[in-house]
Amino acid sequence: FAAPEWFGEDVTYDSRYHNSAISRMKVEEIVEIQSLLASEGKLSGENSQTKRILRDERFCCMNTKNKAIVCILISAFGFSIMNLCVKLSGDLPSIEKSFFRNLVAATIAFILLYRSKAGFSCKKENLPALILRAVLGTIGIFCNFYALSHMVLSDASMLNKLSPFFTLIFSYIFLKEKLSPFQCIAIVIAFIGSLFIIKPSFDLTATFPALCGFIGGVCAGGAYTCVRYLGIKGEKGPFIVFFFSAFSCLAALQYMIFFFEPMTLQQFLIL
């Protein structure tokens, strides 16, 4: 191990060496450090410790958790736009809308799998979880699209966004992941909030779309838990998306064959 130049002096209060400063380093700065160490012979094969230090997440522009948070935020924004498009597409059947949604997703996942040459096969032991994820996801999207078509957009979206709370519950039960006290309180508040949206009553016409939205959130939470399980088991992300999207398209296709409703060019482009 080659000690750094500042070794021996007190840098406890020097912000340059704090993790918060190192984690904000730009890629160019990291490359410069690598080049400098390489020129000084400190990246040779015998000095593997230096290589491990450079690979440490403190030298990355963004660690894995932060990348996951950004991806979730982008995903939430994308789903919000999707919900808006479902509402704008008019009075088309909900299953027909979901067919076109999943057809696009399946196509994109197919292209990613084909270009990566990862193949279209899965591990045999993961097949039951893939099928369960596909079934729950299909039911969830059918229910969500029905709620979007028969409720105020904001209310339907809020019911669907209960899925993270159900993910917490299912992850705790099936994956043995821990729940913090804050998360428990958030789950209780979320369920109370859902009751204000659903407004339970004996008028099934008014309550049914809200119940569909609620069931959609439950199924989506179960589907996300399956995705988490499959990720732990090493299943490829694009294949999980492709399997679900293809399954959902086949499920909707049976309805489309007998009850397809023609759409305008504007509706087609929105979908």
Side-chain angles (χ1 to χ4, degrees):
F1 173 75
E5 295 179 359
W6 47 264
F7 186 79
E9 62 178 296
D10 186 3
V11 297
T12 304
Y13 300 103
D14 192 332
S15 61
R16 292 177 299 168
Y17 303 106
H18 290 177
N19 288 345
S20 58
I22 296 175
S23 64
R24 291 196 299 269
M25 291 177 66
K26 297 180 179 178
V27 175
E28 293 79 10
E29 294 174 325
I30 299 173
V31 173
E32 185 179 349
I33 293 175
Q34 290 176 325
S35 302
L36 179 61
L37 292 174
S39 65
E40 294 177 358
K42 295 180 180 179
L43 285 179
S44 57
E46 65 273 13
N47 196 355
S48 60
Q49 179 67 21
T50 306
K51 293 183 179 180
R52 284 197 294 271
I53 292 173
L54 287 174
R55 288 197 299 265
D56 192 272
E57 67 177 15
R58 291 177 301 172
F59 287 89
C60 296
C61 293
M62 187 181 296
N63 60 35
T64 304
K65 182 178 179 180
N66 289 340
K67 288 179 181 178
I69 292 173
V70 171
C71 287
I72 287 293
L73 292 174
I74 295 173
S75 174
F77 177 77
F79 275 113
S80 298
I81 299 300
M82 181 194 73
N83 290 344
L84 177 61
C85 290
V86 170
K87 194 71 172 178
L88 291 175
S89 61
D91 57 353
L92 293 172
S94 304
I95 297 180
E96 188 171 330
K97 295 177 182 179
S98 65
F99 172 83
F100 284 96
R101 181 268 188 201
N102 287 312
L103 182 63
V104 173
T107 302
I108 294 174
F110 177 86
I111 294 172
L112 290 175
L113 283 171
Y114 180 80
R115 293 188 62 180
S116 66
K117 302 186 185 302
F120 293 86
S121 60
C122 66
K123 298 178 181 179
K124 187 177 180 180
E125 61 271 19
N126 290 340
L127 185 59
L130 279 168
I131 295 175
L132 180 61
R133 186 267 180 271
V135 171
L136 290 174
T138 300
I139 296 173
I141 198 168
F142 286 173
C143 289
N144 181 37
F145 279 25
Y146 182 87
L148 287 168
S149 300
H150 295 83
M151 293 180 65
V152 177
L153 177 61
S154 57
D155 287 351
S157 297
M158 287 299 296
L159 289 173
N160 183 251
K161 292 301 180 286
L162 289 172
S163 57
F165 300 101
F166 285 108
T167 303
L168 287 173
I169 296 172
F170 294 145
S171 297
Y172 174 77
I173 296 173
F174 299 107
L175 303 182
K176 308 305 179 184
E177 295 187 354
K178 295 182 179 179
L179 273 177
S180 68
F182 176 80
Q183 290 172 327
C184 293
I185 295 172
I187 291 173
V188 173
I189 294 174
F191 282 125
I192 294 173
S194 68
L195 291 177
F196 284 102
I197 297 175
I198 297 174
K199 300 173 184 175
S201 68
F202 293 103
D203 184 3
L204 190 59
T205 304
T207 307
F208 185 71
L211 289 176
C212 284
F214 183 83
I215 294 171
V218 174
C219 291
Y224 293 150
T225 305
C226 292
V227 171
R228 169 66 173 163
Y229 172 82
L230 289 167
I232 294 173
K233 293 297 182 179
E235 203 60 63
K236 302 177 290 292
F239 182 78
I240 298 173
V241 175
F242 175 76
F243 189 95
F244 155 63
S245 301
F247 180 95
S248 185
C249 283
L250 291 175
L253 186 61
Q254 302 174 58
Y255 176 91
M256 296 273 289
I257 293 174
F258 298 102
F259 303 103
F260 176 79
E261 289 192 15
M263 63 186 74
T264 65
L265 178 61
Q266 181 180 0
Q267 288 176 318
F268 177 78
L269 293 175
I270 289 174
L271 289 176

